[in-house]
Amino acid sequence: DVKGECLGLLSLHLSYQNSKVRQQEAKWLLDWVKKNETSCPRWLVVGDFNADERDPEMKALFKGGLRSLYQEQKPTIGAFNPIRRIYGNNIASKTIDWALGWNLDAEAAVVLDTPYQGEWVSDHAGVLINVAK
């Protein structure tokens, strides 16, 4: 409950298969949020979307009313992370982990995109979200 209103939270992992599958998942997601907006007007949608802002599935989500909560968008995966190099050394650095808001005033930041106490904690960076604005 933020400011006396319901705050819905969706944590997801879109398909790794291909953009066509993720586009269908994006449509389902938007339809579900819109359908449930009357019972809960504000939503925080987070997770590994396996897509960056240039991909059709993310463009559909943005056009559909979800907005990025990043104040500064930074890569969440890439060859800069040695764990991620299991997929090869030519991995592009990009943002595929998102914090999106629906009628939500919040801020997100990429964290743990460098080693913590000398160790990498994941092959993805983390996302820290402040909803107490």
Side-chain angles (χ1 to χ4, degrees), residues 1-9 36 39-43 104:
D1 191 33
V2 177
K3 297 181 185 173
E5 292 183 4
C6 174
L7 172 61
L9 173 63
N36 288 280
S39 61
C40 191
R42 299 177 329 152
W43 287 89
L104 182 63

Side-chain angles (χ1 to χ4, degrees), residues 5 17 42 46 66 80 96 116:
E5 292 183 4
Q17 294 175 16
R42 299 177 329 152
V46 299
L66 285 166
F80 62 87
I96 66 169
Y116 176 73

Side-chain angles (χ1 to χ4, degrees), residues 31-75:
D31 289 347
W32 193 91
V33 170
K34 289 174 184 176
K35 182 178 131 193
N36 288 280
E37 184 179 26
T38 55
S39 61
C40 191
R42 299 177 329 152
W43 287 89
L44 176 60
V45 182
V46 299
D48 179 349
F49 288 71
N50 278 311
D52 71 18
E53 70 278 359
R54 296 176 300 270
D55 290 320
E57 51 271 39
M58 295 309 297
K59 288 180 179 179
L61 291 172
F62 298 144
K63 185 177 180 184
L66 285 166
R67 72 172 185 89
S68 172
L69 299 177
Y70 286 127
Q71 298 303 299
E72 176 188 2
Q73 188 173 317
K74 294 169 54 178

